[in-house]
Amino acid sequence: MISSLRGTVLAVSPGAAVIEVAGVGYRVGVTPDHGRALRPGSEALVHTVLVVREDELSLYGFASVEELEVFDLLRSVSGVGPKSALGVLAAMTPAQVAAAIEAEDDAAFRRVSGIGPKTAKLIVVTLAGKLPAFAAAGAAPAAPAAAAAAAQARLALEGLGFPERRVAETVDEILAGSPGAEVPAIVRLALAQLGPAQRGGALLGDGVR
């Protein structure tokens, strides 16, 4: 079992990084955010798990032990492979995964590519009660207000015709950088990333104030 790697980042490509340890380059599957944080030529420590299959050995790496633990829990769900589990962590933090399961919110998992309605429901049912520590670690006093603002912003952007999954990713990214942002600010920042509104921004004028 390879539980961690510390070495020089040789290369980073979409979904993967190559880390050299003692002259050996290891290809490690990573989330997009993790990949963007890795810089070729710099030293990195990644927490890893080796996934063994009949015809393949795959190494997956994470910036934190918490992400690795949630990755393993997700893989314990029937129908969730390593790529789907990595996809969940590309879209959600461990705390967000725990919160979605606690709230029985399978829609959060349906937004992940490769996870259908049945598998999303199975994730919630199978992992119920197994992630309380992650939910507690991610708890914050402003969470209810932030969640409400995020929900309103998503509705506004989806009403403009933007895809649900892309909207969710963009809003989450904005709130990660500006946790206290209000709905109008979230929508304006999201539109700057998503591109021109398909209905000429009418919703901003009469639905988001």
Side-chain angles (χ1 to χ4, degrees):
M1 172 69 76
I2 302 174
S3 58
S4 68
L5 293 174
R6 183 189 294 275
T8 302
V9 179
L10 294 183
V12 180
S13 59
V18 178
I19 299 177
E20 183 182 47
V21 180
V24 179
Y26 294 86
R27 186 181 188 278
V28 185
V30 297
T31 64
D33 282 349
H34 192 186
R36 284 190 286 269
L38 298 173
R39 295 286 183 269
S42 65
E43 184 179 272
L45 168 66
V46 294
H47 303 278
T48 59
V49 59
L50 181 65
V51 177
V52 180
R53 292 185 170 181
E54 291 183 4
D55 59 347
E56 183 181 3
L57 296 176
S58 300
L59 199 59
Y60 293 87
F62 303 91
S64 69
V65 174
E66 290 77 15
E67 288 177 316
L68 175 58
E69 291 175 353
V70 172
F71 177 78
D72 280 336
L73 284 169
L74 287 166
R75 289 197 303 123
S76 72
V77 179
S78 177
V80 179
K83 291 183 179 178
S84 294
L86 193 67
V88 171
L89 287 167
M92 307 165 69
T93 65
Q96 288 170 334
V97 171
I101 291 170
E102 186 177 351
E104 299 183 0
D105 179 18
D106 59 293
F109 299 103
R110 293 202 306 269
R111 288 195 289 266
V112 178
S113 178
I115 294 183
K118 290 183 179 179
T119 302
K121 188 66 176 177
L122 195 57
I123 289 173
V124 171
V125 172
T126 304
L127 299 185
K130 294 184 178 180
L131 292 90
F134 299 108
Q152 291 179 44
R154 284 197 296 267
L155 284 174
L157 293 162
E158 288 168 14
L160 289 171
F162 294 108
E164 179 182 338
R165 183 184 174 194
R166 181 67 180 123
V167 164
E169 291 174 347
T170 303
V171 170
D172 287 346
E173 185 178 309
I174 290 167
L175 286 175
S178 304
E182 297 183 352
V183 177
I186 296 171
V187 173
R188 283 195 296 272
L189 290 169
L191 286 174
Q193 295 185 40
L194 293 167
Q198 295 184 14
R199 284 164 48 193
L203 193 58
L204 285 177
D206 55 23
V208 180
R209 298 185 184 280

